[in-house]
Amino acid sequence: MSPSSPAREIPAVRLVEVSKAFGDLVVLDRVSLAVAKGETALVMGGSGSGKSVLIKHVVQLLRPDSGEVWVFDRRVDTLRGAELDAVRLSVGYLFQGGALFDSMTVGENIDFLLERHTRLDAAGRRARVEELLEWVRLPQLALRYPAELSGGQKKRAALARALALEPAIMLFDEPTTGLDPVSVRAVSELIVRLREERGITSLVITHDLLCAEITGGTVHFLHDAAIVASGDLDAVRRAAHPVLGNFFGG
Amino acid sequence: MTLSAPRIDKRNPARRFLEKTGELAAFAGEFVRSLGRRPFEFRELLRQMDEVGLKSFALTGVTGLAIGVVLAMQSRGTLVRFGAESMLPSMLALSVIKEIGPVITSLVLAGRLGAGIGAEIGSMRVTEQIDALEVAALRPMQYLVATRVVACFVMFPILTAWTDAIALFGGYLESVISSGTDYRLFLSSAFESLRLSDLLVDTLKTSVFGLVVGLVSCYLGFTVRGGTREVGRAAMEAVVLSSLLVLLTDVIVVRLSLILFGDISG
């Protein structure tokens, strides 16, 4: 194995024995997880199993009670201020509802980040906004407000915003929840294109089987505050844990 | 269809009050620290000053006009009975500028802005827009809170001065209609019993009210947990708490100004 082979590289995202509780409710109990650079990993599990809590630790929207969270070679759970900002800028985050700023148009949502974090002039930013909206297949919607978009369009517009600063890692929190099958397919295919065209590492939180089938990648199944199975989708389906049978309908 | 029961906080009310007060104090401290951090969100501040100020001019103007006209109508009879009708402009100016104008303007603004800020920031919280700002390495405290609180701090006295002026104009209109008062006589009589310190202190004290309204509304919106019902509750609580705190702060500020500047007769 060559030194530069993926197995020897530092993982893009790594959680080491992370625990998190809200009062008496233990949501994560010494959960460990690693996502290799360029890989797509999925965290699956039922509603309320702590999937979103897990992903929020990567960008420190939540801090662990114990354990370590790493993004490449930076331990982020100890970072504050500008150092944490620097890590956050290398990570894009697609929120469950899109979280587009509703007082701004789609184009302004993207431009807002470009203006704050790049040296592009107005023309350069405009070109970048158009390019990003073209990439998510929403070329004509720059002037629309989020309230005027369908669920699938909101997710794709939010993805365009998340990609504005060219992150190395993308986090997806239930990217297909509430979407019709056609939109589920469209959003899932964008996740695949991110990996294939841009080499972006993705960590996807989902309970949507269609999304998991389309995106592929390593599946980690979260149940009772712990990861109970990991592997490709077929391997996880076949794993001998009673909850998996119920979840996958087998 | 089933509706979930509202979450009821079963902790001791006194403890809850102390916890909330502590949280609000910490939030205020974070606001003060955010003022020293760069970048300063100047464009957003201007947008908020427009939102708080320019868009409240009509509301406070109508309020002022009503105050002036009604106060003049109500007081005229009593003053006539004591043969002191000529005191009307002076009484109007004193009442409006020293107390009624600042407090009523601040209460009206607490209603409009408390609900608006509480609901806007609360809805940004529950739809994860505040989280989206954070993961984009933008500071919600600077972008959302500092701009709104500073806008309230700056715009409250300006709107109060405007309301006071319109209230006096309303009182003058009533006087013209009732007794044909000359405007030069009205103006000289109105301001002869006022000192510059009264004008300044009683107008500028509304900056403190603006600070209170802005901070409380932002805090309640920022700490919303749950969904739309909690957003509605935060907006309502922002109005109630802001209004109460405006009245309580007024007592403290008036007491302090009396200690520092003495009363009108002094």
Side-chain angles (χ1 to χ4, degrees):
Chain A
M1 192 181 285
S2 73
S4 62
S5 68
R8 283 180 183 254
E9 279 182 7
I10 300 167
V13 176
R14 191 156 56 101
L15 276 69
V16 184
E17 302 264 308
V18 167
S19 295
K20 181 72 181 177
F22 297 100
D24 296 334
L25 179 67
V26 178
V27 182
L28 300 176
D29 184 14
R30 287 176 293 155
V31 169
S32 294
L33 172 79
V35 186
K37 188 180 171 195
E39 186 196 359
T40 299
L42 294 96
V43 177
M44 300 187 77
S47 296
S49 59
K51 304 186 298 291
S52 295
V53 170
L54 183 146
I55 203 173
K56 283 180 176 166
H57 280 82
V58 179
V59 281
Q60 294 298 290
L61 285 175
L62 290 172
R63 291 192 178 268
D65 296 336
S66 64
E68 300 172 5
V69 182
W70 294 77
V71 171
F72 291 110
D73 59 348
R74 303 297 304 271
R75 185 176 168 186
V76 296
D77 57 286
T78 56
L79 296 181
R80 296 278 189 283
E83 285 185 318
L84 179 57
D85 287 346
V87 173
R88 283 174 165 170
L89 289 175
S90 68
V91 181
Y93 197 123
L94 181 65
F95 288 87
Q96 195 167 345
L100 291 164
F101 305 126
D102 49 20
S103 60
M104 301 179 192
T105 64
V106 169
E108 287 167 348
N109 261 276
I110 302 168
D111 184 64
F112 181 58
L113 298 195
L114 293 171
E115 191 191 7
R116 296 310 178 95
H117 295 302
T118 70
R119 291 171 189 272
L120 292 171
D121 60 13
R125 296 201 308 269
R126 202 162 39 246
R128 179 100 178 103
V129 169
E130 282 171 16
E131 180 211 322
L132 284 162
L133 289 175
E134 190 76 47
W135 198 83
V136 297
R137 312 229 201 281
L138 293 175
Q140 305 298 327
L141 299 187
L143 299 178
R144 296 260 189 98
Y145 281 91
E148 300 169 322
L149 304 181
S150 69
Q153 287 173 332
K154 269 185 200 164
K155 293 276 171 77
R156 283 186 281 159
L159 177 58
R161 184 183 68 181
L163 293 173
L165 303 175
E166 301 183 345
I169 299 166
M170 266 302 305
L171 307 177
F172 294 86
D173 188 358
E174 302 280 9
T176 56
T177 297
L179 302 185
D180 61 85
V182 175
S183 299
V184 169
R185 191 167 287 280
V187 171
S188 305
E189 283 168 357
L190 283 173
I191 298 173
V192 174
R193 283 178 61 208
L194 278 179
R195 179 178 64 220
E196 292 177 349
E197 295 175 19
R198 297 178 176 230
I200 290 179
T201 307
S202 294
L203 178 57
V204 184
I205 298 297
T206 186
H207 60 251
D208 186 334
L209 271 176
L210 179 58
C211 172
E213 281 166 1
I214 294 170
T215 53
T218 310
V219 174
H220 304 275
F221 197 90
L222 192 62
H223 177 68
D224 271 352
I227 289 177
V228 295
S230 291
D232 64 30
L233 186 59
D234 286 336
V236 171
R237 273 188 218 252
R238 288 195 302 270
H241 192 289
V243 78
L244 296 171
N246 289 336
F247 186 86
F248 291 110
Chain B
M1 188 177 70
T2 57
L3 288 173
S4 61
R7 279 184 294 177
I8 298 167
D9 196 337
K10 291 178 180 165
R11 287 169 299 170
N12 179 321
R15 185 179 159 188
R16 214 165 57 216
F17 172 77
L18 286 175
E19 279 177 6
K20 287 279 175 198
T21 308
E23 280 178 20
L24 179 56
F27 188 82
E30 187 59 34
F31 156 72
V32 172
R33 276 192 295 278
S34 76
L35 294 176
R37 289 195 199 114
R38 295 175 72 86
F40 190 71
E41 304 284 353
F42 192 68
R43 201 188 314 165
E44 180 61 12
L45 174 65
L46 287 181
R47 201 175 76 80
Q48 289 306 324
M49 284 170 72
D50 174 52
E51 197 63 41
V52 171
L54 293 181
K55 290 181 181 159
S56 301
F57 263 88
L59 175 67
T60 49
V62 171
T63 306
L65 194 65
I67 289 171
V69 171
V70 170
L71 205 57
M73 286 194 298
Q74 296 272 30
S75 310
R76 179 175 301 283
T78 311
L79 291 173
V80 166
R81 204 177 328 143
F82 290 102
E85 192 182 356
S86 62
M87 298 287 286
L88 183 67
S90 171
M91 190 224 70
L92 260 179
L94 272 175
S95 324
V96 166
I97 288 170
K98 285 197 70 65
E99 198 54 37
I100 295 176
V103 171
I104 297 287
T105 306
S106 299
L107 288 177
V108 166
L109 291 174
R112 179 179 178 268
L113 301 172
I117 292 174
E120 186 186 9
I121 294 187
S123 132
M124 288 185 77
R125 170 61 78 195
V126 300
T127 56
E128 298 184 304
Q129 291 176 56
I130 293 180
D131 288 343
L133 282 172
E134 276 198 45
V135 298
L138 299 167
R139 306 209 188 279
M141 188 55 87
Q142 274 162 267
Y143 184 72
L144 295 176
V145 176
T147 50
R148 282 164 176 76
V149 178
V150 171
C152 287
F153 182 82
V154 173
M155 294 312 293
F156 267 50
I158 294 172
L159 288 164
T160 300
W162 157 252
T163 310
D164 289 352
I166 295 288
L168 290 179
F169 177 70
Y172 165 69
L173 273 186
E174 195 280 340
S175 298
V176 169
I177 293 163
S178 299
S179 56
T181 308
D182 176 69
Y183 78 93
R184 279 165 299 202
L185 182 65
F186 184 91
L187 279 180
S188 65
S189 170
F191 287 101
E192 72 183 1
S193 54
L194 273 172
R195 301 169 302 179
L196 184 63
S197 62
D198 295 322
L199 265 174
L200 289 178
V201 170
D202 293 310
T203 306
L204 292 179
K205 74 179 177 185
T206 57
S207 279
V208 183
F209 301 162
L211 199 65
V212 167
V213 171
L215 265 176
V216 166
S217 310
C218 286
Y219 164 73
L220 289 169
F222 216 78
T223 50
V224 164
R225 294 286 179 274
T228 47
R229 183 164 48 192
E230 281 74 17
V231 173
R233 190 180 301 157
M236 184 263 291
E237 283 178 0
V239 175
V240 173
L241 197 55
S242 298
S243 305
L244 273 175
L245 287 176
V246 161
L247 295 172
L248 287 175
T249 310
D250 187 44
V251 174
I252 297 166
V253 174
V254 167
R255 186 69 208 140
L256 278 176
S257 73
L258 285 174
I259 292 168
L260 291 172
F261 301 101
D263 68 14
I264 199 83
S265 59

